[in-house]
């Protein structure tokens, strides 16, 4: 955990102390709607994992059909292999874990607990891992990883800008309201 804590401190230096501050109205908006955004992103991540898994199965069905028709007419196999490669399974696995983390962050972020913020931080780090996994599949490439890094950097900037709202003091203020 010390590595994550060290990373968090380094990123705080970059996204809070060196980066321009988000206006207070923007911070309040993010804090207010972050739990719901987390819930939506969690559901979309799980749906994406299912869509990728389903797409691979449908593609395999079409490949099998094309190979069967080709064989029936005396031809060679049209395509070989399966679309359920290791990269697809890793992608589905990472998306499921990421989606579950986002869903788990809903209640703690709603209650302004640091544990909710931490879950979103971990999900952001996992997003970079997902970009790395996709980069080495037949369906991705370096541009996917670059997009993932850019998206994660924007997300981390926003997350670190509102980090002060997620602490024991912030949670007690919310309960007192």
């Amino acid at each position: 955990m010390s590595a994550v804590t060290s990373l968090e401190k380094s990123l705080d230096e970059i996204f809070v102390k060196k980066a321009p501050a988000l206006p207070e109205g923007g911070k309040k908006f993010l804090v207010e709607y972050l739990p719901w955004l987390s819930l939506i992103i969690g559901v979309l991540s799980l749906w994406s994992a299912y869509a990728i898994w389903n797409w691979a199965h449908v593609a395999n069905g079409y490949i099998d059909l094309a190979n069967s028709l080709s064989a029936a007419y005396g031809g060679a196999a049209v395509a070989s292999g399966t679309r359920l490669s290791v990269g697809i399974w890793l992608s589905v696995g990472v998306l499921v874990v990421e989606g579950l983390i986002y869903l788990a962050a809903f209640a703690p972020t709603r209650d302004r607990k640091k544990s909710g913020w931490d879950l979103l931080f971990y999900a952001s780090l996992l997003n970079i891992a997902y970009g790395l996994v996709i980069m080495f599949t037949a369906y991705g490439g370096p541009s996917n990883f670059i997009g993932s890094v850019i998206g994660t950097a924007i997300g981390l900037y926003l997350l670190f800008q509102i980090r002060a709202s997620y602490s024991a003091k912030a949670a007690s203020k919310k309960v007192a309201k």
Side-chain angles (χ1 to χ4, degrees):
M1 266 330 224
S2 64
V4 174
T5 306
S6 174
L7 177 63
E8 188 177 332
K9 286 179 183 177
S10 298
L11 291 175
D12 182 63
E13 182 73 29
I14 294 168
F15 291 119
V16 176
K17 295 178 178 136
K18 292 184 179 177
L22 201 60
E24 283 303 314
K27 289 180 183 181
K28 287 180 183 178
F29 177 83
L30 274 175
V31 170
E32 182 71 27
Y33 291 104
L34 189 62
W36 300 104
L37 290 170
S38 174
L39 189 65
I40 291 167
I41 292 170
V43 169
L44 289 175
S45 293
L46 293 174
W47 178 77
S48 295
Y50 171 75
I52 290 170
W53 179 82
N54 188 51
W55 167 84
H57 278 85
V58 168
N60 279 343
Y62 283 123
I63 289 169
D64 291 344
L65 176 64
N67 286 337
S68 297
L69 287 173
S70 180
Y73 290 104
V78 176
S80 63
T82 178
R83 296 297 163 239
L84 289 167
S85 65
V86 172
I88 293 296
W89 283 112
L90 284 172
S91 296
V92 168
V94 169
L95 280 172
V96 166
V97 170
E98 189 174 315
L100 292 174
I101 290 172
Y102 276 114
L103 292 177
F106 173 74
T109 54
R110 185 187 59 208
D111 297 336
R112 308 281 196 280
K113 293 182 179 175
K114 177 76 164 63
S115 61
W117 186 92
D118 288 340
L119 286 171
L120 294 177
F121 178 63
Y122 300 146
S124 296
L125 297 179
L126 191 57
N127 190 47
I128 291 176
Y130 177 69
L132 192 61
V133 167
I134 286 295
M135 184 170 78
F136 294 108
T137 66
Y139 313 104
S143 61
N144 293 85
F145 180 67
I146 292 168
S148 180
V149 168
I150 291 170
T152 299
I154 292 169
L156 286 172
Y157 168 75
L158 295 173
L159 200 57
F160 274 89
Q161 288 293 306
I162 61 172
R163 182 172 163 225
S165 299
Y166 293 92
S167 64
K169 291 178 187 176
S172 65
K173 284 182 186 177
K174 179 159 181 355
V175 172
K177 285 185 182 179

